[in-house]
Amino acid sequence: MSEEKGPRVEMATPFDPRAAILAPGHTYASITDKISALVLTRRTPRGWFLGFTIAFLLLMLLLFTAAYLLATGVGIWGVTVPVGWGFDIINFVWWIGIGHAGTLISAILLLLRQRWRTSINRFAEAMTLFAVACAGLYPLLHMGRPWLFYWLLPYPNTMGTWPQPRSPLVWDVFAITTYATVSFLFWFIGLIPDLATLRDRARRRFWRILYGFLAMGWRGSARHWARYEMAYLLLAGLATPLVVSVHTVVSFDFAISIIPGWHATIFPPYFVAGAIYSGFAMVVTLAIPLRKFYELEDFITMKHLDNMAKIMLATGLIVGYGYMMEAFMAWYSGNPYERYMILNRLRGPYAPVYWALLVCNVGVLQALWSARVRRNVRALFAIALVVNVGMWLERFVIVVTSLHRDFLPSSWGMYRPTIFDWTMFLGSIGLFLTLMFLFIRLLPVISIFEMRALLPETAPTPGGGTMRPAEAPTTS
Amino acid sequence: MMKLETLPRRAVSVGLAGLSLALIAAFGDPEHFWPSYLFAHLFWLGLSIGSAAVVMLHHLTGGRWGFAIRRVLEAGARTIPLMAVLFVPIFFGLSHLYEWTHAEVVAADEVLRHKSRYLNVPFFSLRAVLYFVVWIALAHLVTKWSYGQDRTGDPRLSQRIRTLAGPGLVLYGGTITFAAVDWVMSLEPHWYSTIYGIKFILGQVLTAFAAAILLAAWLSRTRPLSEIATSDAFHDLGNLLLAFVMLWAYVTFSQFLIIWSGNLPEEIPWYLRRTQGRWEVVAGLMVVFHFLIPFLLLLSRAVKRNVRTLAALSGMILIMRVVDLYWIIMPAFEERGIGLHWSNAAAFFGIGGLWFALWAREAARHELIPVHDLGGLGERASHG
Amino acid sequence: MSERTDLYGLLAEFDAPEKVVAAAQRAYAEGYRQMDAYTPFPVEGLAEAIGFHRTRLPMIVLLGGLFGGALGYALLYYAEVIDYPLIVGGKPFHSWPAFIPIVFETTIFFAALSAVLGMLALNGLPMPYHPVFNVPRFALASRDRFFLLIEARDPKFDREATRRFLEALGADGVWEVEP
């Protein structure tokens, strides 16, 4: 943002290629051409078709499962008393959590003036949108009669009823709706100047009209930029508390109840940290292949990967703190149900899942203390995948182990997901990937105009410090 | 105008006067004295270790905001040994403070019997010693290396601090959590809340932040701090203050909402004690002065860029930090008929006086700006 | 006063952000007021240089947020206390702690919506037609070129004098913009 003034510490050291957030040698034109070419001129790589086909097949699996579900009912899933919340809520929380990194990168890092966010914010925001879409599927389908979803909304109706706002599930409706809307606005606003670039550079009439329609006549006027930057900053300021509130409300879905293992005051910050943790793991999982196959190493540099690894480490440690406090307080409380809950996790029928999540989320994570591991692309990719799995397991443990041992042993039961639980889950991954592949093909994956704005500031100068535009290298 | 050099002597006299009064209470009215002393100690201790935490956080993240308050915070962190010495008397007041130290009470209560493996005097004391060892070691190393940079200019020191800061914050988070459980949560030994540690951490960091802004505003009236404590720096500090005010409100409200909704007999009494009678007024005041007013004012750019308004607001937040801690600690003694008492103020100013005396001595011993870390930035700062 | 109606203005092209800022400042000092500058990314100081100072957007967003919050609370109060009072979990009808999450979300929702719609409305977007696009070189305004436009309706505008003035500012080219 143009507010950027004054000394910046990161740049105080002499130019270090490992610390660069944009490789040297670029001009305004080269940045524009290289990123827009991915959409406009470059031949679609064969790998894209392969990946898209796989993703699309998985999406068909989702459609098949959803159709069968609507025809038959939620009985095709493994949910039954006492575990009424199975894969649906696990996957819902998992996907929502993944979405959080996108908003974090675009909003919080903007407010903190972390310029390295620039090359990853666009696809991280897209990831947020698609993850929220996947998440939204589950509660809707879990309702059993999804066509009556609008009963969740507060509107005067002939039944004379209103939604019941002492229930956190109603908060969820508001939180997720707001989150999806604001994420979309943020993403779309960020796209407008780049859509104008595509409009001006597309060769075929169809694409010129399409991108031109979406760019809404953007022409880069100085007055427009001033209001645009203000709007973007305000949206960032609004999205930051919003993203915290969304996973907080998700955590309230559990914590407001009085089920041991759910009713814990630490849930809000612990869920938010977990969401950011899993979200960054997903950004890393997507960024590493993206930069490799599309040769974007100049824009998504080692510095980006290193920073994201550090954020994973910090949030992962908070999640570990959450596990510790849950276990300690379960013992300290002296409440037999709380104590049993944690013993059941450690030694009960789902103990292997609990131990696996500890290994994935806390154990493997410790490798990121080492700078060598953080700068090793393969190791980082592997760790990010492990964390994705670990965070899914965490939600499994929270949902299932808290429910399957009810207060009375006569009500105990086991939860076993059916084949349709799995196809639904795989199918939602297919939906996510399909949207992601389409996005990569049709829209610029990196914010072009923000990369241009970055150029004058990242060019190495003696003594470092922020360069004024006056010192920027001129284009030919 | 008061100067940094003359502050220690005045502060020491305030401190000694306060502590002498408190001593009278200690022998005349121990039931009132011990809660007062614990409350006073925890407030100033929170300021000390909160300062150390913010310093480590800045080493880890960097950023313009930290340089203006770095030395103020470092001097604050150097007061931890004093706070360790002042903690020693608490070992003699345990039976006045903590219900679980009475064997006959524990024997008659199943939950306390269960907890006695954790809540017993030897283990409690061992843990307290351990916490102070960790805090003193962290604060000592971080400040020593930071001062060392200015003397020797050795770049390896910066690297060393950065390496320590990460694990240091992990250690800080762990120790302060259990210290909060030991010293405060166990005042009401049946009650528990898993967010408690985070609530304490944020409270201390907010305290340290507000105090550092206030002190930096005071010191920035003269050189050398005036060179880097510019409107830009205060703007950044104001933004961070806003962030911490919001985080504090977030954590506080989350705990309240979850316990209020659950309404379980082992949890809700904590809030019942704190929202009835006069305490309800205090809780209401905190909503307004600890959150609403600072939040709304800190949204304004003009308030953050003006040193005077920002300092005034920090002062208000600091007062509310005292109120918040009082609201957390004192209702625990209400059933024993212990409330507002003159020894509250005596102990608070007694320990505070000594704290400030040491803080001012430490602050005066070193450059008020971290010359080395500013490095290439110094030139810009001097005409900025 | 310009008598020509077949001209929207003159567009000068520059190759660096600081040149267009300098040119805009000179033009403003010269007395031109009806002008605009076009850049491929936000350039610091350019809006000020063409005489644009404050945007009302923060106020719009604040009002939007307040409206959203008030609407949310009013809705909940009406639904839960007046129209459909229902005892749930032994909680009072006016359970304000439970209202806060929803009120928070509606506040953010309306504030964000007013930020985006307010920005678009103040900018006059979407705009299906604008004369500057008649200049073929203007396509580079979204790539690496920086443009300064002086409109023909400016009282000081004169086809030849303004052209000479712009060329003297170091423009790489000056183009006539058809209306």
Side-chain angles (χ1 to χ4, degrees), chain C:
Chain C
M1 193 52 89
S2 164
E3 71 284 6
R4 310 291 298 246
T5 51
D6 61 337
L7 191 66
Y8 178 76
L10 284 172
L11 192 65
E13 180 184 332
F14 300 90
D15 66 359
E18 73 280 1
K19 290 190 188 165
V20 76
V21 175
Q25 282 164 345
R26 290 274 302 280
Y28 194 85
E30 190 76 14
Y32 291 105
R33 289 296 177 270
Q34 301 299 330
M35 56 180 176
D36 206 345
Y38 305 97
T39 55
F41 58 88
V43 172
E44 199 180 332
L46 188 56
E48 290 78 8
I50 61 167
F52 177 84
H53 289 289
R54 278 192 84 98
T55 162
R56 285 166 292 166
L57 204 56
M59 191 46 78
I60 294 175
V61 174
L62 181 68
L63 292 177
L66 289 176
F67 171 77
L71 185 75
Y73 209 99
L75 173 81
L76 292 175
Y77 191 85
Y78 174 75
E80 301 310 311
V81 184
I82 298 167
D83 194 47
Y84 190 50
L86 195 66
I87 295 176
V88 176
K91 300 283 190 290
F93 296 135
H94 184 207
S95 293
W96 64 267
F99 292 180
I100 285 182
I102 294 181
V103 172
F104 177 84
E105 302 297 339
T106 54
T107 307
I108 299 279
F109 184 88
F110 280 90
L113 215 57
S114 29
V116 172
L117 297 180
M119 185 272 282
L120 291 178
L122 291 174
N123 281 349
L125 297 175
M127 180 175 280
Y129 174 80
H130 194 276
V132 283
F133 288 103
N134 292 329
V135 178
R137 291 284 292 177
F138 189 72
L140 295 177
S142 64
R143 184 172 181 251
D144 60 345
R145 293 283 148 164
F146 305 81
F147 294 89
L148 180 68
L149 170 83
I150 295 181
E151 293 177 25
R153 65 191 164 101
D154 192 288
K156 241 184 98 60
F157 185 85
D158 178 275
R159 195 170 205 156
E160 293 312 316
T162 305
R163 170 182 281 276
R164 278 197 302 279
F165 171 73
L166 286 172
E167 276 163 358
L169 290 179
D172 293 344
V174 177
W175 283 274
E176 297 196 345
V177 183
E178 290 167 21

Side-chain angles (χ1 to χ4, degrees), chain B residues 212-263:
Chain B
I213 292 176
L214 198 60
L215 291 168
W218 172 53
L219 293 171
S220 71
R221 289 194 287 188
T222 52
R223 285 172 67 87
L225 201 59
S226 59
E227 289 175 21
I228 57 164
T230 56
S231 304
D232 280 342
F234 280 108
H235 189 182
D236 286 358
L237 287 170
N239 278 331
L240 280 164
L241 192 66
L242 173 64
F244 281 116
V245 165
M246 286 168 75
L247 278 174
W248 174 86
Y250 165 69
V251 168
T252 305
F253 178 70
S254 295
Q255 176 180 287
F256 168 67
L257 184 60
I258 290 170
I259 290 178
W260 174 84
S261 291
N263 209 16

Side-chain angles (χ1 to χ4, degrees), chain A residues 3 5-9 12 113 171 241 244 248 252 255-258 263-269 272 317 321 324-326 328-329 331-335 338-339 369 466 468, chain B residues 63-64 67 111 114-115 117-119 166-167 170 173 177-178 181 185-186 189 191-195 197-198 236 246 250 254-255 257-259 261-262 264 266-267 301 377 380:
Chain A
E3 282 211 345
K5 279 177 207 145
R8 297 203 315 128
V9 186
R113 302 202 187 124
W171 308 344
V244 172
T248 298
F252 284 154
I256 293 294
S257 75
I258 50 169
H263 181 74
T265 48
I266 199 160
F267 261 37
V272 172
L317 287 168
Y321 174 91
M324 178 185 79
M325 288 319 287
E326 264 187 325
F328 173 73
M329 281 297 166
W331 178 84
Y332 177 87
S333 71
N335 179 326
E338 292 280 341
R339 279 159 64 194
W369 285 101
T466 314
R468 299 270 143 227
Chain B
R64 179 175 61 185
F67 298 111
V111 173
H114 165 75
K115 290 188 184 190
R117 266 186 290 167
Y118 182 81
L119 294 179
V170 174
T177 299
F178 287 100
V181 173
M185 194 195 272
S186 79
W191 185 75
Y192 57 91
S193 165
T194 39
I195 207 173
I198 295 182
D236 286 358
M246 286 168 75
Y250 165 69
S254 295
Q255 176 180 287
L257 184 60
I258 290 170
I259 290 178
S261 291
L264 292 173
E266 57 269 45
E267 292 181 340
R301 203 178 138 84
L377 308 175
R380 171 183 283 274

